[in-house]
Every structure is written in C-alpha cells, then in structure tokens.
Amino acid sequence: MIPTYNDLCVKLVGDLRQQAEQTGIGYEILVGDDGSTDHEVVSENRQIDQWAHCRYLVQPQNTGRAAIRNRLAREARYDWLLFVDSDMTVVRPDYIGQYVAQDNADVVDGGVTIGGDAEVLKQNLRYLYEKASEHEHTAEMRQKKPYQDFHTANFLIRRDLMLSHPFDERFRYYGYEDVLFGKQLRADHIAIKHIDNPMGFCTFESNPDFVSKTEEGLRTLYQFQSELRGYSRLITLVEGIHIPLILSLIRLSHRLFSGLIRHNLCGRHPSLKLFKFYKLGYYTTI
C-alpha cells in the first residue's frame, strides 16, 4: 500500500515487486495517488498499472493522508497490508522477508533509517533534523513507547484490523494522523510490535518547503490538541508552562524575531536550536 502525492514511485514499486516475487507469496502492490498536481509524475507512475500484481489508483482530488490510506485498505485483496510512504527507499535485500516472518503480531512497525550524503546535505534542515533524532527511533527505543512512537512510513497491519480502526479522516492536512491512530490502538489494547526492518529516508525537501510543512503540522497539532494530549512533547511542554508571563514572552519573541529565524531556517546554515524555538513560538501564537 503506497499512498502518494506528487512523488515518482516507479523504482520503489519495482524494488518491492522484485522482493515479493523472490519470497513466493501472493501479493499485490497498490499505489494510491491522492490528486497529484504534477502531471509528469502521474504520467510516469501510470506504467505501474501495466505490471503484474500492481495497480495505480488515481483520485481526481486530494482527500488527505488519512482518507487515501483508508481507501487503499478497502481496495486491498489480501489479509495483510504493508504500508510504505512514497518517498521511502528499499535498503534491505530481505525487507519483505522480514515482514513475512512476523506472524505473531497484529501491527508491526519497521522504522526508518536516514540515508543521504552528509556532506552534500549539511545545509538541508530536514536531513539535519532527522539525523539528529535518528538514535531515538531504533526498534529498542520505539518499543519503550510503542504507541507514541508509531509512524506510518513503514508498517504492517492485518486488513480486518485496519478496516475496523480506520484513520481519522478529519486529518486532511500534514501531520499527526499516525499519532492518533497509535492512540486508538492503545485504547483498544491492540499491541504494536517494533522491529528493525527499516525503509530508507533518503529524499529531503528544500528548507522553505520543510518549514512550511512544519507550520502546517503545528496547525494540525493545535486543531487536535485535546485528542493528542499526552502524545506530543510540544503540547506537554506548553501546557507545563504555568506562568502566563513566560508564555507571553515566548509569543512576543516569536512576533518580533520569527522573520529572522525563518530566514535562517530557510537559508544555507539552518540551526536546529532555532528550529525548536521557532516551533514553540509558532505553536503558542496560533
């Protein structure tokens, strides 16, 4: 199951298909295009529809990250669903085989590993951010907080379970639909198993695009703050500030300096410390 929006998926599908063939299992690969606006990408991706065991489903309009995953689950023919984000890269020769061996869990999160050339990407904010937190997302660390650290970039789930616990389609914009999904699984006592079977995160958007995406995610976080309480460090941090003057100072600092900080974050020498401060200021001023 590959939900996509303006991403070229041909190589990803080809790599997954090759591994599935090697395992000898029955399979299909569904790519759900959620109203992509890049017509060249859509045209290239349409060749997927010509391959055996593959389907390329195109939505005429963007319905959101939650809705497209739910549609893929409904369209699927098999009892197990493997969801992979369209910007991921296959990095293990036994990736599919590792999941086939997981027959004692209902939900399995394989995690991600951060790829790319550190020297080439040393000015890329997304790369620096993901690389700095990579040590927190090992299978061992994720298993300590299995529901809070669940992510949808690379996970396996029983189809009937997915159909009975669909993603919340109120989440139309970027961010946190996976966090709420993890919370819902916890509420129903459905275990999540975290394993070391990563997909590679090797493609990173530009600094301005990542800052804009982060802002969109923070607006999503604010919109669903009551549901996500206890599942967001930022919410916990902000709600732990009980002195109104401190919050006022944070908001004032953001209004005064957000332009300068954003200029740094979008520039050639982005600071992760300023990025954290920018997120705090942006969230408190929404």
Side-chain angles (χ1 to χ4, degrees), residues 3-19:
T4 187
Y5 179 76
N6 287 337
D7 278 333
L8 187 63
C9 304
V10 175
K11 186 179 188 310
L12 174 60
V13 172
D15 290 343
L16 292 173
R17 183 168 172 249
Q18 182 181 31
Q19 286 203 16

Side-chain angles (χ1 to χ4, degrees), residues 23-277:
T23 64
I25 60 171
Y27 75 95
E28 64 175 349
I29 300 175
L30 302 185
V31 179
D33 190 303
D34 195 19
S36 290
T37 57
D38 189 326
H39 300 298
E40 185 175 340
V41 166
V42 173
S43 179
E44 286 285 326
N45 281 338
R46 285 194 184 278
Q47 65 183 287
I48 294 168
D49 229 5
Q50 309 303 315
W51 297 348
H53 311 293
C54 298
R55 285 192 283 162
Y56 181 58
L57 311 174
V58 180
Q59 300 251 120
Q61 293 181 329
N62 184 272
T63 59
R65 296 159 61 88
I68 189 63
R69 289 192 179 97
N70 290 341
R71 183 193 174 188
L72 286 170
R74 292 192 300 268
E75 292 276 352
R77 299 168 180 165
Y78 289 91
D79 294 335
W80 287 91
L81 310 178
L82 174 57
F83 279 89
V84 176
D85 278 359
S86 58
D87 57 354
M88 294 287 105
T89 302
V90 178
V91 294
R92 291 187 59 148
D94 61 344
Y95 170 74
I96 296 294
Q98 287 289 325
Y99 273 127
V100 171
Q102 304 299 320
D103 58 359
N104 59 344
D106 296 326
V107 183
V108 185
D109 186 332
V112 300
T113 185
I114 310 304
D117 188 315
E119 182 64 25
V120 173
L121 293 166
K122 63 183 180 182
Q123 297 174 339
N124 184 277
L125 179 61
R126 181 67 183 272
Y127 172 78
L128 296 174
Y129 173 75
E130 298 292 350
K131 198 66 178 176
S133 59
E134 186 176 27
H135 67 283
E136 300 177 3
H137 302 303
T138 64
E140 181 182 3
M141 293 296 290
R142 284 183 278 119
Q143 196 62 58
K144 291 180 179 180
K145 296 188 296 179
Y147 299 98
Q148 288 91 335
D149 282 343
F150 171 77
H151 299 286
T152 55
N154 171 27
F155 78 101
L156 181 75
I157 186 170
R158 280 195 355 244
R159 180 174 181 265
D160 64 317
L161 187 58
M162 177 73 185
L163 293 177
S164 62
H165 295 76
F167 283 92
D168 190 326
E169 296 189 10
R170 292 176 301 161
F171 285 75
R172 286 186 55 86
Y173 301 103
Y174 177 75
Y176 297 98
E177 77 283 350
D178 49 356
V179 179
L180 186 59
F181 186 75
K183 181 180 178 181
Q184 291 169 338
L185 294 181
R186 182 178 189 176
D188 288 341
H189 307 288
I190 297 168
I192 300 176
K193 181 180 181 181
H194 289 268
I195 66 172
D196 181 25
N197 190 31
M199 289 291 282
F201 187 11
C202 308
T203 304
F204 307 93
E205 61 268 76
S206 69
N207 292 352
D209 285 347
F210 180 52
V211 173
S212 295
K213 183 183 286 187
T214 299
E215 292 168 345
E216 182 178 347
L218 291 171
R219 294 192 294 271
T220 299
L221 180 63
Y222 182 80
Q223 180 182 356
F224 296 99
Q225 59 182 298
S226 59
E227 289 100 326
L228 296 171
R229 186 170 287 112
Y231 284 74
S232 163
R233 294 178 183 177
L234 186 55
I235 292 178
T236 301
L237 173 61
V238 171
E239 293 187 349
I241 301 174
H242 301 297
I243 303 175
L245 177 60
I246 293 179
L247 284 174
S248 297
L249 289 173
I250 293 172
R251 294 188 186 103
L252 177 61
S253 296
H254 185 77
R255 293 190 182 101
L256 291 175
F257 302 112
S258 62
L260 289 173
I261 295 175
R262 203 179 194 282
H263 181 74
N264 168 268
L265 299 178
C266 294
R268 299 182 62 184
H269 303 286
S271 164
L272 289 178
K273 290 183 179 179
L274 287 178
F275 183 53
K276 292 179 180 179
F277 186 72

